[in-house]
Amino acid sequence: MKKKSNSRRMTYDVRRTPIVRPLWIEVDLRALRANYRKICKFVGSKVKIIATIKQSAYGHGLIPVAKCLSKAGVSFFGVGSVEEACQLRKAGFKQRIVVLTAVLNKFCDYFIKYEITPTVVDLAFARKLSSLAAKKKKKISIHVKIDTGMGRLGKDVNDAHKFILSLSKLKNLRLEGLYTHFPVADTNFRFTNDQIKSFNEFIKNLEKEGVVFKYHHCANSVGIMNYPHSHFNMIRPGLILYGIESSTKAKLEVKPALSLKSRVIFIKRIKKGSGVSYGSAYVAKKPTYIATIAAGYADGYPWAVSNNGKAGVIIGDKMYKVAGRVCMDHTMIDLGNKKITPGQEVILLGSRGDLQITANDLALWAKTIPYEVVSRFSLKIPRMYKGI
Ligand SMILES: *Cc1c(COP(=O)(O)O)cnc(C)c1O
């Protein structure tokens, strides 16, 4: 008999897999659902939502997050790769899937085979796609991306007009979405407003010539919160969906869905003057207990929090500081005089009672952004889902 692969079980259903190394992620799907509903309410019923679930749903787990959002009524998913789109199709999802990146021409048959929606930024790609679709007697919906200031994908808004007129002549493509992206929505109000303005004018000019897209979209989380006039009739939330507040004035009071937890695996008493971890950069000022926990930088716990001075974890009902450098699969914690027994739960990201460590806190300690913090948690870490 063919042995069933257990890789999915290991990733998605930890209850069936013994955890020896105590490190796991808990994802509260109730929070995810509630955040999604808050966003829907905030933008109103006329605005469609592309739930951005790229990079394994920002580390929360692609399939379980897609399942949860599918039940909540999401009709568009935004992914970061054709691979993720195929994974969703193979898992049986029927929603629209927009790949939010450019793909090399030679791979354009995937969009037809798996009925997924490409981002189009290149005429040769579009021609190839259209002729392949014609052979299969199909019409393919596309989302076209133009650049209004991001400097990444898409033709410059000032010379994209002709490009889109050419696209509109390709018989087997349906111009469904037109979009652009914000680089400084959190820091430069004027620049972002100018982007929205030029996007708007671009749409109007196309419509004068009879080229009409069904959806127009530009707002990511910060855009959604800070620029209501950027919603058009479609938005692309990522961060706020997962309950991570972005730097906005308006607050949606979303709830974090992800917690990273471990356990104390060893305790030792060290003398005044003893060093802790590589470089011995942390030196005990007085006799203290040091706990070793089973989480390190290879798991995605940032090395950059090493000796930061503020970085901490929650054990019991107290915060304790990280002591010395984060190691590949260990991190040490200074317990002071508190003696804790091995096995005690440790929260590296998450909350207990009034104590909370957010992705934003970890990002601040590690001098990075919350996006990097959550998307880097190793996919080897078992994920447990609450509120399925
Ligand atoms: C990731 C991404 C988003 C979501 O951004 P958030 O800031 O997480 O809301 C939106 N649009 C595109 C094109 C993206 O790549």
Side-chain angles (χ1 to χ4, degrees):
M1 212 172 80
K2 209 176 147 211
K3 221 176 150 199
K4 231 175 140 183
S5 158
N6 69 346
S7 63
R8 262 186 66 172
R9 264 198 282 159
M10 284 181 47
T11 316
Y12 298 124
D13 191 356
V14 79
R15 286 165 302 186
R16 298 200 212 172
T17 319
I19 302 178
V20 177
R21 181 161 185 250
L23 179 65
W24 69 101
I25 281 171
E26 288 172 13
V27 177
D28 186 353
L29 296 174
R30 290 163 300 198
L32 187 74
R33 255 192 305 269
N35 296 338
Y36 171 70
R37 292 201 181 114
K38 273 193 177 160
I39 298 166
C40 290
K41 208 167 152 199
F42 184 75
V43 298
S45 61
K46 292 200 180 79
V47 178
K48 281 265 180 200
I49 295 179
I50 299 184
T52 308
I53 55 171
K54 61 175 182 246
Q55 293 291 356
S56 295
Y58 291 41
H60 293 59
L62 185 71
I63 300 297
V65 165
K67 261 190 195 152
C68 168
L69 292 173
S70 160
K71 272 194 214 155
V74 163
S75 49
F76 281 83
F77 289 123
V79 297
S81 64
V82 167
E83 286 82 344
E84 285 182 328
C86 292
Q87 241 180 297
L88 289 174
R89 280 289 177 259
K90 284 178 179 165
F93 290 94
K94 300 280 187 274
Q95 281 85 357
R96 302 293 311 284
I97 304 172
V98 184
V99 176
L100 298 169
T101 186
V103 168
L104 296 174
N105 294 5
K106 64 176 174 184
F107 298 115
C108 82
D109 52 328
Y110 281 95
F111 293 98
I112 296 169
K113 189 171 170 208
Y114 289 93
E115 295 187 35
I116 55 187
T117 306
T119 288
V120 170
V121 291
D122 175 74
L123 193 55
F125 177 89
R127 287 197 172 120
K128 193 167 175 201
L129 190 70
S130 184
S131 73
L132 271 178
K135 271 186 209 148
K136 305 255 182 220
K137 298 193 169 53
K138 281 186 177 170
K139 203 160 174 175
I140 300 288
S141 290
I142 62 169
H143 284 224
V144 181
K145 189 170 197 182
I146 58 166
D147 188 3
T148 55
M150 176 74 182
R152 195 171 64 180
L153 294 170
K155 296 212 186 295
D156 192 281
V157 64
N158 297 311
D159 42 53
H161 189 82
K162 258 198 194 144
F163 166 61
I164 291 185
L165 291 185
S166 309
L167 289 179
S168 72
K169 295 194 177 84
L170 297 171
K171 295 265 180 325
N172 291 70
L173 301 186
R174 187 182 298 116
L175 299 184
E176 183 183 67
L178 180 69
Y179 77 105
T180 192
H181 199 51
F182 298 145
V184 287
D186 48 347
T187 51
N188 193 335
F189 203 74
R190 184 182 291 172
F191 186 90
T192 307
N193 270 327
D194 283 346
Q195 282 188 278
I196 299 167
K197 219 168 119 196
S198 65
F199 188 55
N200 233 327
E201 279 165 14
F202 187 77
I203 294 167
K204 293 234 168 72
N205 284 333
L206 281 175
E207 289 185 349
K208 269 187 214 148
E209 303 195 43
V211 178
V212 181
F213 286 82
K214 185 171 180 192
Y215 299 114
H216 303 110
H217 49 105
C218 45
N220 61 346
S221 293
V222 191
I224 294 162
M225 299 306 299
N226 281 1
Y227 306 81
H229 55 299
S230 77
H231 296 174
F232 292 86
N233 58 356
M234 193 170 240
I235 55 167
R236 306 187 303 265
L239 213 57
I240 51 174
L241 203 49
Y242 306 102
I244 303 168
E245 291 278 9
S246 47
S247 46
T248 56
K249 278 173 241 119
K251 292 282 177 236
L252 207 53
E253 285 179 3
V254 287
K255 196 169 168 259
L258 183 147
S259 310
L260 177 67
K261 297 186 179 179
S262 179
R263 291 187 191 279
V264 173
I265 54 171
F266 187 72
I267 304 267
K268 71 188 296 147
R269 182 83 174 162
I270 64 166
K271 288 197 222 103
K272 178 184 169 186
S274 300
V276 176
S277 196
Y278 292 111
S280 297
Y282 189 88
V283 178
K285 293 199 182 81
K286 51 186 189 242
T288 190
Y289 286 110
I290 296 290
T292 299
I293 60 175
Y297 60 77
D299 303 301
Y301 189 70
W303 183 84
V305 309
S306 299
N307 285 311
N308 151 289
K310 290 206 176 70
V313 298
I314 301 167
I315 306 176
D317 54 6
K318 228 176 126 183
M319 288 273 285
Y320 296 91
K321 298 274 169 67
V322 170
R325 288 188 198 158
V326 174
C327 307
M328 191 181 285
D329 45 20
H330 296 119
T331 297
M332 275 67 84
I333 307 297
D334 193 337
L335 301 174
N337 278 323
K338 179 93 176 164
K339 195 172 181 210
I340 281 166
T341 46
Q344 176 96 30
E345 187 176 290
V346 178
I347 300 174
L348 295 102
L349 194 168
S351 63
R352 176 175 293 130
D354 293 336
L355 298 175
Q356 187 180 33
I357 299 167
T358 64
N360 278 310
D361 293 329
L362 256 181
L364 200 69
W365 297 334
K367 296 191 176 64
T368 179
I369 50 175
Y371 300 85
E372 190 183 55
V373 168
V374 288
S375 66
R376 279 204 167 187
F377 288 142
S378 168
L379 295 178
K380 287 183 294 188
I381 302 174
R383 266 88 170 151
M384 289 212 266
Y385 294 90
K386 293 195 285 190
I388 289 178

